[in-house]
Amino acid sequence: MGVERNHGGCMAVRSLPPPSIPKCSHPASAVNADDQTCGSPRWIEKGLSCVCMKRKGTYERICINLTPLQEERLQRLKHRMNVYFDASRREHQEALRALWYATYPNKELSGLISDQWKEMGWQGRDPSTDFRGAGFISLENLLFFAKTFSNSFQRLLNKQCGKRATWEYPFAVAGVNITFMIMQMLDLQSTKARTFVRAVFIQMLSEDEWAFDLLYCVAFMVMDKQWLERNASYMEFNEVLKSTRAQLERELLMDDVIRIEDMPSYSLLL
């Protein structure tokens, strides 16, 4: 299933046919071992236009040359990543209010600077100071999660599953860190592809413009699951985040994962 968002922020679910990945024309004997290595920069240095990877005995490829649709959506996503949160901009203020009411629909917000924000897991009275690491897109990600998978969002917010630590991770600040982690993992701001994960994600982006936001929701669920499995406490958050990234990378490179919805951990959202 794919997810689309309309201008008002509501979500609609639609079916998407799996895209076809062109078979590599190189015979098995002609493919160098370096070209099969996920994340290896060697195939880029050689100027190859495709990345060959062995999957279930056959060689497949994902082309580096972007289609017009991929280029358009990638540039749009890059633009989102470059927008800093600006507390003086009205649209940013409205997005922050929207996050509050998506999170606490029956609780009135007294102001954009208020002790109430600490309930959500911000570090202080002014949540705008916590967006510095990942920018406005981290707020968009939280809002997307709250509106698209409200039940899962509320479970994580309220720490409803499993045996929780005495010193839990702050929900909202964790969300900002997850956005930053995904940005680093996908490496979309670089001028050249340096990892196979990036190439795979761009392929996904051509199928669903909101692939980044969906991946964020999956990542949040994976992080909380690993947090519980490790019986982690606040000081171990960075280690949990590292293992979350490793899990995401493994799933993105699985044979049958063509869309975010194909990732095994996507089921955690349902």
Side-chain angles (χ1 to χ4, degrees), residues 103-121:
T103 307
Y104 305 109
N106 300 316
K107 190 180 294 186
E108 194 67 28
L109 176 64
S110 61
L112 294 181
I113 298 178
S114 166
D115 284 329
Q116 288 177 287
W117 289 105
K118 296 178 184 179
E119 300 174 33
M120 198 185 297

Side-chain angles (χ1 to χ4, degrees), residues 183-238:
M183 289 167 65
Q184 288 186 313
M185 177 182 75
L186 298 178
D187 194 31
L188 297 178
Q189 297 286 26
S190 63
T191 55
K192 292 184 179 180
R194 294 183 291 191
T195 66
F196 199 81
V197 169
R198 168 185 162 133
V200 168
F201 176 79
I202 292 175
Q203 192 81 1
M204 292 176 168
L205 197 60
S206 66
E207 295 301 320
D208 192 335
E209 187 173 4
W210 302 104
F212 185 93
D213 303 78
L214 283 172
L215 181 59
Y216 170 87
C217 298
V218 173
F220 217 138
M221 298 300 295
V222 171
M223 186 279 292
D224 189 74
K225 184 174 183 287
Q226 295 203 7
W227 177 274
L228 291 173
E229 290 174 348
R230 289 168 172 251
N231 296 313
S233 62
Y234 182 75
M235 297 303 293
E236 299 170 271
F237 179 79
N238 286 338

Side-chain angles (χ1 to χ4, degrees), residues 13 36 68-69 94 103 147 157 259 262 269:
V13 179
Q36 304 170 37
L69 179 60
E94 291 305 314
T103 307
K147 288 187 172 184
L157 170 71
R259 305 168 302 169
D262 298 328
L269 288 164

Side-chain angles (χ1 to χ4, degrees), residues 102-162:
T103 307
Y104 305 109
N106 300 316
K107 190 180 294 186
E108 194 67 28
L109 176 64
S110 61
L112 294 181
I113 298 178
S114 166
D115 284 329
Q116 288 177 287
W117 289 105
K118 296 178 184 179
E119 300 174 33
M120 198 185 297
W122 300 103
Q123 295 184 85
R125 302 178 71 247
D126 183 2
S128 67
T129 60
D130 290 328
F131 291 120
R132 292 170 184 165
F136 184 61
I137 192 173
S138 58
L139 172 55
E140 292 182 310
N141 288 159
L142 279 167
L143 186 55
F144 181 95
F145 191 9
K147 288 187 172 184
T148 312
F149 303 102
S150 58
N151 290 337
S152 296
F153 180 90
Q154 290 294 332
R155 284 200 305 272
L156 266 58
L157 170 71
N158 297 306
K159 308 294 196 298
Q160 293 174 345
C161 297

Side-chain angles (χ1 to χ4, degrees), residues 32-143:
N32 187 286
D34 291 335
D35 302 334
Q36 304 170 37
T37 304
C38 300
S40 171
R42 299 196 177 200
W43 47 264
I44 300 170
E45 294 169 358
K46 295 174 183 176
L48 300 180
S49 61
C50 68
V51 184
C52 299
M53 181 180 180
K54 191 171 185 179
R55 292 184 171 183
K56 294 184 178 179
T58 61
Y59 288 95
E60 296 180 350
R61 71 180 183 182
I62 293 181
C63 293
I64 297 173
N65 296 329
L66 303 184
T67 66
L69 179 60
Q70 287 173 333
E71 181 66 33
E72 177 188 346
R73 289 183 172 178
L74 179 59
Q75 291 305 317
R76 194 176 302 164
L77 179 55
K78 284 183 176 182
H79 174 74
R80 291 176 63 197
M81 290 178 174
N82 289 329
V83 177
Y84 294 99
F85 183 88
D86 185 349
S88 67
R89 292 179 60 174
R90 183 175 178 179
E91 59 268 34
H92 290 197
Q93 295 172 7
E94 291 305 314
L96 198 52
R97 288 192 184 92
L99 176 62
W100 176 267
Y101 288 110
T103 307
Y104 305 109
N106 300 316
K107 190 180 294 186
E108 194 67 28
L109 176 64
S110 61
L112 294 181
I113 298 178
S114 166
D115 284 329
Q116 288 177 287
W117 289 105
K118 296 178 184 179
E119 300 174 33
M120 198 185 297
W122 300 103
Q123 295 184 85
R125 302 178 71 247
D126 183 2
S128 67
T129 60
D130 290 328
F131 291 120
R132 292 170 184 165
F136 184 61
I137 192 173
S138 58
L139 172 55
E140 292 182 310
N141 288 159
L142 279 167
L143 186 55

